Amino acid sequence: MRHSDAGRRDPGVIEERIGYTFKDRALLERALTRLAYTLEAGIPPETHMDALATLGDAVINVAVVEAVVAGGAHDKGAISNRKMNLVNMTRLRGLAEDLDLADYVRWGKGEAAQRVWTSGRVLAECLEALVGAVYLDGGMDAAAGVLRRLGLTAKA
């Protein structure tokens, strides 16, 4: 039952796995909370992950381009191609699966019943939200460090 806090794993484990400890734990909780959950639980709408996912998407793109350029790429086309190869839904979803991220997210009941994390972009968005939260909590260096530790930019 992943739609309740009762069956959810301790979010602190995610901090260990990404190698980053949040100063503001509310950001971590927000990154792990789906809109459907907030609606069902009657908690404020600003406590769900959507804005963090949008921010995280941008942060991931910046971190990857920085790493590609630092790796010696200088041609715009080559940089764009390398970024596209590194940052795509399948890759981000795979990183989220490696973290068992679905076990830490607060899902809505319908999402849990449908196991929405098993298809499409849902887990990629959850990873983006987590990166967005790290960025707000610790800045670009912290977010880039998490992406490096996850292996996204290690071989940029």
Side-chain angles (χ1 to χ4, degrees):
M1 295 250 306
R2 292 185 182 188
H3 66 275
S4 71
D5 284 342
R8 182 175 169 240
R9 289 192 187 171
D10 173 14
V13 176
I14 284 292
E15 291 177 305
E16 293 171 26
R17 299 190 76 189
I18 66 172
Y20 180 80
T21 302
F22 281 83
K23 296 177 220 53
D24 181 356
R25 297 282 299 189
L27 282 169
L28 174 59
E29 284 298 331
R30 182 177 174 195
L32 299 173
T33 302
R34 300 279 294 170
L35 173 60
Y37 180 91
T38 65
L39 295 172
E40 292 168 9
I43 57 178
E46 66 272 10
T47 59
H48 67 82
M49 68 171 57
D50 289 5
L52 293 177
T54 301
L55 176 61
D57 177 54
V59 169
I60 290 167
N61 283 317
V62 169
V64 167
V65 170
E66 271 188 356
V68 169
V69 170
H74 58 274
D75 175 73
K76 182 179 177 182
I79 293 167
S80 294
N81 285 337
R82 189 74 185 116
K83 182 181 84 67
M84 284 191 312
N85 289 334
L86 287 167
V87 183
N88 59 59
M89 189 266 300
T90 304
R91 185 89 191 274
L92 296 178
R93 183 174 160 195
L95 294 173
E97 288 170 347
D98 290 347
L99 288 172
D100 297 317
L101 196 54
D103 293 341
Y104 302 91
V105 173
R106 295 193 290 186
W107 302 99
K109 291 181 179 114
E111 291 177 319
Q114 294 174 17
R115 299 175 51 87
V116 297
W117 56 87
T118 62
S119 64
R121 237 193 100 60
V122 175
L123 269 184
E125 289 171 354
C126 292
L127 183 69
E128 289 169 346
L130 184 60
V131 172
V134 170
Y135 172 80
L136 287 180
D137 192 67
M140 193 65 196
D141 286 345
V146 166
L147 293 170
R148 225 178 2 264
R149 285 186 289 283
L150 292 178
L152 187 66
T153 57
K155 297 174 201 146

